[in-house]
Amino acid sequence: GAVVSQHPSRVICKSGTSVKIECRSLDFQATTMFWYRQFPKQSLMLMATSNEGSKATYEQGVEKDKFLINHASLTLSTLTVTSAHPEDSSFYICSARWTGRNNQPQHFGDGTRLSIL
Amino acid sequence: RKEVEQDPGPFNVPEGATVAFNCTYSNSASQSFFWYRQDCRKEPKLLMSVYSSGNEDGRFTAQLNRASQYISLLIRDSKLSDSATYLCVVNEEGRNAGKSTFGDGTTLTVKP
């Protein structure tokens, strides 16, 4: 079945560091990928929609200069958390869906647990 | 009103019980529906799609009621391993086609 790979799975770093997270669709092409954030005991929150070859679409309240998204190929999207601070500590999850039909489910990466000290 | 609404629970049931979750959606044009499960500190995993005629996968049955705009998930003979949060997902249509809307999830705990 469809597989989405996300890397790294765990990051612990100092405040002020920029952190890059990769999301790859392994056996299908995805012109669109999605980035979510989830705080403990809370729902998934869509941060942005990553579009191959064009700018990402950010949800209201999400700073595009803080969360840089690059979708350079049909199988790779990256999220960079710039100058991360403790309040950015969260579980970041990407997802992708097979392009072409809207009746396909999203497939999620394993998630990245980010801890900023 | 939220676009996708679920009863948050928690549902606490004994092993072997039958439990049902409902989910309502607001966009009558929606066409594609799914149930995911999410374990603690893990990513959501696709459990099953929901088809118009209803569908079954082992102990799990999903149904769609377009007239009332809700979908349901029935779990029979609950196992301890069924303990998780169950997410209802609706693929958006029209100008937001390509995005999915997630319910907040229903938490299930199956006890011995």
Side-chain angles (χ1 to χ4, degrees):
Chain A
V3 177
V4 175
S5 171
Q6 187 173 341
H7 178 80
S9 58
R10 185 83 164 99
V11 179
I12 302 173
C13 56
K14 293 181 180 179
S15 186
T17 307
S18 292
V19 178
K20 187 176 184 179
I21 304 170
E22 290 188 350
C23 181
R24 293 180 187 273
S25 57
L26 297 184
D27 57 359
F28 65 100
Q29 293 183 336
T31 56
T32 304
M33 293 185 179
F34 304 92
W35 288 98
Y36 295 85
R37 182 167 56 181
Q38 188 174 36
F39 293 104
K41 298 188 186 297
Q42 292 190 21
S43 310
L44 281 173
M45 187 194 81
L46 178 65
M47 298 174 66
T49 302
S50 171
N51 304 299
E52 188 266 336
S54 65
K55 291 183 180 179
T57 306
Y58 290 82
E59 296 300 302
Q60 192 172 13
V62 178
E63 299 174 59
K64 60 182 180 181
D65 295 330
K66 173 78 172 175
F67 300 99
L68 299 178
I69 291 172
N70 184 280
H71 194 150
S73 77
L74 287 171
T75 58
L76 173 64
S77 174
T78 61
L79 169 69
T80 301
V81 184
T82 61
S83 187
H85 292 285
E87 59 267 27
D88 298 322
S89 299
S90 187
F91 188 44
Y92 291 85
I93 318 173
C94 73
S95 74
R97 197 167 77 188
W98 181 74
T99 306
R101 295 174 65 178
N102 200 37
N103 64 351
Q104 298 298 305
Q106 289 190 28
H107 296 277
F108 287 85
D110 291 343
T112 297
R113 200 159 297 281
L114 177 63
S115 299
I116 307 298
L117 306 177
Chain B
R1 183 189 170 192
K2 287 185 179 179
E3 292 178 41
V4 177
E5 289 203 66
Q6 294 182 247
D7 181 345
F11 285 66
N12 297 304
V13 303
E15 265 187 298
T18 295
V19 61
F21 309 134
N22 283 335
C23 168
T24 58
Y25 60 95
S26 60
N27 185 353
S28 59
S30 300
Q31 297 292 325
S32 305
F33 311 90
F34 309 93
W35 283 102
Y36 285 72
R37 68 171 280 166
Q38 184 176 23
D39 293 286
C40 188
R41 299 172 67 83
K42 296 283 190 180
E43 79 282 12
K45 287 196 163 90
L46 178 65
L47 181 63
M48 59 197 302
S49 302
V50 185
Y51 301 123
S52 296
S53 54
N55 48 299
E56 191 174 301
D57 182 1
R59 297 180 294 109
F60 299 85
T61 301
Q63 290 193 313
L64 167 64
N65 184 318
R66 287 193 186 275
S68 301
Q69 293 180 210
Y70 78 82
I71 66 172
S72 63
L73 177 68
L74 181 78
I75 305 176
R76 290 183 298 279
D77 188 23
S78 299
K79 311 290 184 194
L80 296 177
S81 57
D82 293 334
S83 298
T85 296
Y86 290 83
L87 302 168
C88 166
V89 180
V90 179
N91 279 6
E92 297 191 26
E93 302 290 334
R95 63 183 180 89
N96 285 327
K99 291 172 72 171
S100 301
T101 300
F102 286 74
D104 289 341
T106 298
T107 301
L108 171 66
T109 301
V110 181
K111 298 186 175 179

